[in-house]
Amino acid sequence: MAVTAVAAPSAKIAVQKGLVPASFVLAGALASLVGMSWDIQWHDDVGPDTFFTLPHLLMYSGSAFAGLASLFVVLTTTANTKRGKAVDPIVGGRAVGVLGRTFAAPVGYLISGSGAALFLMYGLWDQVWHSIYGFDAVIDSPPHIGLLLSVSITMVGTVMVFAVARDRRWGVNGLVVAAATLLMFSMVTVLGLRALPDGLVDAITVGSGFLAVAVLFAGAHVLNRRGAALAIGAVVAAVQTVLWFFSPWAAEVYADAMGLPLRDYLEGYPGMPSMIPMSLILVAVVVEVLRAAPPWVPGLVGGAVIAALAPVQNSLVQGSGFPGADKFLVTVVVGAAFGALAGMLGHRFGQMMRHLAPEKENRHA
C-alpha cells in the first residue's frame, strides 16, 4: 500500500508534465486554424485587409502561443540537462542538442518552435508587403505562402509531441485532434498549386488528395489501432461543420463592427471549409477495411475517391460545372497514383513518429 501511495502521485505528475505544454501547443495550432478560416472568409466576403485585422491577430497569436510553449519546454529541458537532472522523455520526445549542445530540445517541441520562429520572420515580411502594396487581393501572396508553410511545420511538431505519448489516453486524444488540424490546414497550402498552368490534371484536387491521405495514414499508423483513421476523419468533419457556420458569421459581424459593407456578390459558401474533402470519411473507412493490405493499396483507393468526388463536392457547394470527361479521368488516375504514394509516405512517417516514444513504450508497440 505504501508503494502504491507514493507511485500514484508521481505518475500523475509525469502525465501532467507532458499534458500541460502539449495542450498549450495544440491550442495554438487550433487558434491558427480558426484564424486562417476567418481570414479567408474575410478576403472572400469583405476584401479590405491590413496586417492588424482580428483574423490575422488570431492566427498570429496562435502561432505565438505554440512558439512560447515550445520555448518554455526547451529552456526548462536545457536547464534540467545542465544540472544533471533526469528529463522525462514523454515530454516531447528525446532531447537533442541544438547550436553545439547549447540547448537541449525535445524533438517535437523543436519542430513546433522552429515553425513558430519562421512564422515570425514571414510575418515581418507580410507587414512589409502590406506597407508596400496595401491590402491583399489574394490569399496566395508570397509572404502568405511562407506563413502557411510555417504554421504547417508547427502543426507537424504538435503531432510529434502527442505521438510520443501515444500509449496515454491524453496522447491518443491529442494526436487525433492534432492530425485532424494539420490535415485541414494543409488544404490551404495546396492553393500554391494554382500557379501551375492549367491542363488535363486538376492540380488542386490531386494535391488535396495527396496531403489528406498522407496525414490520415500517418496519424492512423502512429496510433496503430482500429478506429484511428475513423476518429481523425470524424474530428475533421466536426471541425469542418463548426467552421462552415462560424467563418461567414464572424466575417459579417466583424465587418459590421468596422463599418465595412459585404461584397455585392457573395460566393455563398464558406471558403476554407469547402476546401476540405467531404469524402474523407469514406477514405477513413477504406483505410480501416484495408488495414492488412500494403499501404499503397488503400492509399490508391483513397486518392481515387477524393479525385472522383471532388467535382461532385464543387458542384454541390460552389455550383461549378463538371470537368470534361478527359480531364476527369486523367485527374482520377493521377490522384490514385499520388494517393498510393501518399499511403506509403504516410505509413513511413507514422513509423518514424512511433520511434519518438521512450524505449519502454517501443518494446510494447
Side-chain angles (χ1 to χ4, degrees):
M1 293 297 294
V3 174
T4 304
V6 173
S10 164
K12 185 176 181 181
I13 291 174
V15 169
Q16 290 177 343
K17 279 183 179 178
L19 173 59
V20 173
S23 299
F24 275 89
V25 174
L26 180 57
L30 286 169
S32 294
L33 176 69
V34 175
M36 175 55 66
S37 181
W38 186 3
D39 186 54
I40 290 175
Q41 202 65 41
W42 179 263
H43 278 263
D44 291 342
D45 292 356
V46 184
D49 182 46
T50 64
F51 183 81
F52 294 105
T53 61
L54 278 183
H56 277 184
L57 293 178
L58 178 59
M59 186 168 56
Y60 298 152
S61 63
S63 186
F65 204 56
L68 289 173
S70 301
L71 179 62
F72 173 79
V73 173
V74 170
L75 292 179
T76 54
T77 302
T78 300
N80 289 334
T81 301
K82 290 185 181 300
R83 289 200 302 262
K85 186 177 179 181
V87 177
D88 190 350
I90 204 68
V91 183
R94 300 178 184 84
V96 296
V98 180
L99 298 178
R101 299 188 181 276
T102 302
F103 298 97
V107 63
Y109 288 104
L110 175 62
I111 300 299
S112 61
S114 298
L118 286 173
F119 186 89
L120 176 61
M121 294 176 59
Y122 281 110
L124 294 175
W125 183 17
D126 191 40
Q127 169 66 348
V128 174
W129 187 272
H130 281 289
S131 300
I132 297 175
Y133 299 107
F135 70 85
D136 288 333
V138 295
I139 190 109
D140 51 348
S141 64
H144 282 177
I145 294 298
L147 289 169
L148 295 175
L149 293 175
S150 300
V151 178
S152 297
I153 293 173
T154 296
M155 292 180 177
V156 169
T158 307
V159 174
M160 295 170 67
V161 166
F162 284 100
V164 176
R166 68 178 187 276
D167 286 348
R168 312 289 177 92
R169 183 184 296 274
W170 64 267
V172 172
N173 295 335
L175 193 144
V176 167
V177 176
T181 303
L182 173 61
L183 192 155
M184 289 182 283
F185 196 88
S186 66
M187 298 300 100
V188 185
T189 62
V190 176
L191 292 177
L193 296 177
R194 291 196 298 200
L196 296 177
D198 191 22
L200 280 178
V201 178
D202 187 334
I204 298 293
T205 297
V206 173
S208 298
F210 174 80
L211 290 177
V213 171
V215 176
L216 185 67
F217 264 73
H221 187 69
V222 170
L223 294 177
N224 197 27
R225 62 181 69 189
R226 286 197 176 278
L230 278 175
I232 295 172
V235 171
V236 169
V239 177
Q240 183 181 20
T241 301
V242 172
L243 293 178
W244 196 279
F245 295 100
F246 169 80
S247 301
W249 171 83
E252 182 176 359
V253 169
Y254 185 42
D256 289 341
M258 297 293 292
L260 296 173
L262 299 178
R263 295 184 188 274
D264 292 333
Y265 300 99
L266 297 180
E267 293 180 335
Y269 58 89
M272 180 176 173
S274 65
M275 301 177 193
I276 304 169
M278 296 178 180
S279 58
L280 186 68
I281 198 71
L282 295 178
V283 178
V285 172
V286 169
V287 174
E288 295 293 343
V289 172
L290 299 178
R291 288 184 77 230
W296 68 267
V297 175
L300 182 146
V301 177
V305 167
I306 292 176
L309 294 182
V312 178
Q313 176 175 330
N314 293 337
S315 176
L316 293 175
V317 174
Q318 304 175 9
S320 58
F322 274 72
D326 52 350
K327 184 170 185 176
F328 174 77
L329 291 175
V330 173
T331 299
V332 171
V333 172
V334 175
F338 273 86
L341 177 61
M344 292 186 291
L345 290 177
H347 182 269
R348 181 67 66 180
F349 289 146
Q351 285 183 322
M352 292 167 60
M353 284 190 286
R354 287 181 65 82
H355 287 291
L356 293 171
E359 288 298 327
K360 181 179 178 182
E361 293 187 63
N362 281 333
R363 287 198 297 269
H364 294 283

